[in-house]
Amino acid sequence: MANSPIRSGGPSPGRVDAAVHRRRWVILSVLMLSLLIVVLDNSILNVAMKTIATPAPTGLGATQSELEWAINAYTLVFAGLLFTAGLLGDRLGRKKVLLFGLAVFGAGSVLAAFAASPVELITFRALMGLGGAFVMPATLAILMNVFEREEQPKAIGIWAGGVGLAIAIGPIAGGLLLDHFWWGSVFLINVPIVLIALVAMVFLVPDSRDPAPGRLDPVGVALSVVGLVLLVYGIIKGGQLADFTDPEVVGTVLGGVAVLALFVLQQKRSDHPSIDIGYFRNPAFSAAVGAIALVFFALMGVTFFIVFYVQSVRGHTPLESGLLILPLAAAQMIFAPRARHVVDRFGARAVCTAGMLSVAVTMAGMLVLGTDTPMWVMEVLFFLQGTGMAHIMPPVTVSIMQALPREKAGSGSALNNTFRQVGGTLGVAVLGSVLSTAYRDGIKATLDAVPGLPGPARHAAGESIEATLGVAARLGPAGRPLVAAAQDAFVHAMHLTALVSSGIALFGAAVVAVFLPGRPAPAVPVAAPRPDETERAPR
């Protein structure tokens, strides 16, 4: 088994063990396999949402709220435990934590595939989130411990490109599965990948841990879990209610912020903190984690609504919608592994700012998408958006991970993923709220004019475009005007949501432009003394 220890020292760590160094690219391939299933699972679920919303036996008849919780139950557990999982990896061994996470994720996938109700699906998705929380920090932490510092940007670029691969495979695999099998197959597909990854990791991946972890910080761990769970739950609840001023939402969010503030104070005063808060005094480090949160805020909200645009408004099948997302993934696969070359030439600040501006422009570009816009327009926007993201994620991830000592790689990876997950959750909740509110306002007058539609049914029909189309289908030919009105209302709501996303990405561009470091000054070579000067030098 690959249990070769990896030596790590302080901020300037020792060299990687020679045997580990020789197989580093094979290890990266195995790590990407574990990353693949976590990202692939979410991208598959996006394609399957419409099918799961269909009444039994085709789906589970999940409501819009239940669909959101199928996503958010995973997110809530995942985000709440990421930091703790990273700490446990540093302390107990990242390989052990990774194997545990994969096993739990695989078991949750089997249970989710055979869920008999939306409530069961939500529960088992939460179990998958538990497993995923232990997988994500460990993959990046192990990567940082098997590559030397000079090769880390290249490895992280390939790692980030793996996300693009998962984004590409997920929707296509989901579409193929839904065309031939029942909806649960989109979860069952995880099982063989998990089994292969488990076997490969046992024999190929080395273990590593912090050689001097110090005393455990149970108070800090508890505060981080409670604070993150409260914060994420409040954000999710606000999105569900489409009202972030609701007392329950405000109370939960403020409670989460208060607990996290207490966590920061406790960490500053502790002589054995879980994370050195001093890292956040570095503007480049703080800007990097902020950039990750902001770009995922913009992206996750858009990927949530684009599925319904492609399937419900444009009438494409799940497989076709998966194929239509390919340009976004292809751009990330092509450019993420090469981003380091652009950063070497122009500096992280210029590259990330340009990437953020690209994301902002392409978000605004979605204003041209209508009910009959040629689909190639969306494809071009997706490709440019993926290109922008490919030049954001690798540089900011390198900035975060190289700011911390190698032995704290688990904590650094957890911070990276926590900010990304909280940003994505905010995106789904806030932008989902904008979308649902705008859609409800846009379709209200049309639904009020439908004769014989009871009040409760009218309210339910206005919750989402799928609910409205369900009412239109029951009306038969008389429901055709309602279909057209629903599509127009959704497109208008989508445009408003895309504008908000664009604004968030513009703010992210300003943050990285101000705080990320520019191009480093070239090293001045020291001229070697000439032989004759050496000979004449005084002894």
Side-chain angles (χ1 to χ4, degrees):
M1 292 187 191
N3 284 318
S4 310
I6 300 178
R7 295 188 298 271
S8 26
S12 300
R15 306 298 290 179
V16 175
D17 182 85
V20 171
H21 183 73
R22 283 194 296 271
R23 63 174 188 269
R24 64 196 184 282
W25 297 110
V26 177
I27 293 169
L28 178 60
S29 301
V30 177
L31 294 176
M32 288 177 65
L33 194 61
S34 64
L35 176 70
L36 177 71
I37 61 165
V38 176
V39 180
L40 179 145
D41 176 72
N42 279 323
S43 58
I44 281 185
L45 182 59
N46 284 336
V47 174
M49 283 193 298
K50 187 173 184 292
T51 305
I52 294 172
T54 307
T58 303
L60 290 176
T63 65
Q64 184 77 10
S65 175
E66 288 169 337
L67 283 176
E68 289 178 11
W69 270 114
I71 296 171
N72 292 330
Y74 178 95
T75 302
L76 185 64
V77 177
F78 186 86
L81 292 177
L82 268 173
F83 185 69
T84 301
L87 290 174
L88 288 175
D90 286 344
R91 175 172 289 274
L92 302 177
R94 290 139 193 159
K95 176 178 177 178
K96 297 182 184 70
V97 163
L98 183 52
L99 290 172
F100 169 78
L102 280 173
V104 172
F105 190 90
S109 298
V110 173
L111 293 170
F114 295 99
S117 69
V119 173
E120 286 189 9
L121 177 62
I122 291 167
T123 302
F124 298 139
R125 284 281 296 164
L127 182 62
M128 293 171 68
L130 171 64
F134 283 84
V135 170
M136 284 295 282
T139 58
L140 191 52
I142 292 172
L143 181 154
M144 297 300 291
N145 278 272
V146 298
F147 285 90
E148 300 293 359
R149 187 178 180 88
E150 59 271 16
E151 279 191 321
Q152 286 170 359
K154 180 180 180 180
I156 288 174
I158 296 171
W159 181 85
V163 175
L165 178 64
I167 292 173
I169 293 175
I172 297 171
L176 286 169
L177 290 168
L178 292 172
D179 275 355
H180 296 90
F181 304 101
W182 94 113
W183 64 267
S185 60
V186 301
F187 297 109
L188 209 58
I189 191 65
N190 294 332
V191 178
I193 302 175
V194 166
L195 292 175
I196 294 170
L198 283 171
V199 173
M201 279 175 194
V202 167
F203 291 100
L204 295 172
V205 175
D207 204 357
S208 63
R209 62 172 63 87
D210 185 345
R215 286 185 292 150
L216 190 63
D217 179 26
V219 176
V221 169
L223 288 173
S224 69
V225 172
V226 173
L228 285 169
V229 168
L230 284 174
L231 177 64
V232 174
Y233 178 82
I235 294 167
I236 291 170
K237 195 66 179 176
Q240 281 191 316
L241 298 174
D243 181 9
F244 284 86
T245 63
D246 183 87
E248 181 183 357
V249 175
V250 174
T252 309
V253 170
L254 290 180
V257 171
V259 173
L260 290 175
L262 187 61
F263 167 74
V264 172
L265 289 174
Q266 187 266 346
Q267 293 295 288
K268 290 173 72 173
R269 295 177 180 177
S270 175
D271 58 357
H272 55 285
S274 298
I275 183 68
D276 186 352
I277 301 299
Y279 290 119
F280 285 93
R281 297 193 190 101
N282 181 344
F285 179 84
S286 297
V289 294
I292 284 179
L294 290 169
V295 76
F296 270 85
F297 181 105
L299 182 71
M300 291 301 291
V302 171
T303 53
F304 184 76
F305 73 63
I306 207 69
V307 171
F308 289 97
Y309 170 73
V310 171
Q311 295 187 37
S312 301
V313 176
R314 304 307 299 268
H316 291 282
T317 65
L319 176 58
E320 289 169 342
S321 67
L323 291 169
L324 288 169
I325 297 173
L326 267 179
L328 179 70
Q332 292 190 52
M333 285 189 291
I334 293 168
F335 294 110
R338 295 168 173 81
R340 73 188 190 282
H341 299 304
V342 189
V343 173
D344 289 343
R345 182 170 182 180
F346 299 105
R349 179 194 299 161
V351 173
C352 290
T353 301
M356 279 287 194
L357 289 174
S358 175
V359 171
V361 170
T362 52
M363 292 292 185
M366 291 186 179
L367 293 174
V368 304
L369 299 180
T371 56
D372 56 359
T373 306
M375 294 306 290
W376 65 262
V377 175
M378 188 181 79
E379 302 298 272
V380 171
L381 290 172
F382 273 167
F383 186 81
L384 294 175
Q385 194 171 99
T387 302
M389 286 204 66
H391 289 89
I392 298 169
M393 299 311 298
V396 295
T397 302
V398 170
S399 296
I400 292 168
M401 297 305 296
Q402 289 194 343
L404 275 68
R406 178 177 278 170
E407 64 268 20
K408 301 295 183 184
S411 302
S413 178
L415 281 172
N416 175 67
N417 284 293
T418 298
F419 274 83
R420 184 179 73 176
Q421 200 65 35
V422 171
T425 304
L426 263 171
V428 172
V430 175
L431 298 179
S433 173
V434 171
L435 181 74
S436 60
T437 302
Y439 177 76
R440 192 182 301 115
D441 292 343
I443 199 66
K444 184 178 185 300
T446 305
L447 286 172
D448 288 344
V450 176
L453 191 63
R458 186 182 298 114
H459 177 78
E463 286 188 352
S464 67
I465 185 173
E466 280 302 305
T468 309
L469 294 178
V471 171
R474 290 194 294 272
L475 293 174
R480 288 175 188 166
L482 184 56
V483 171
Q487 292 174 340
D488 289 338
F490 184 86
V491 168
H492 171 73
M494 182 181 77
H495 288 169
L496 182 61
T497 307
L499 268 180
V500 177
S501 297
S502 180
I504 295 297
L506 277 176
F507 177 69
V511 169
V512 297
V514 173
F515 294 110
L516 275 189
R519 184 182 177 186
V524 179
V526 179
R530 293 172 52 176
D532 56 337
E533 291 174 344
T534 304
E535 292 170 6
R536 291 197 300 267
R539 298 175 184 269

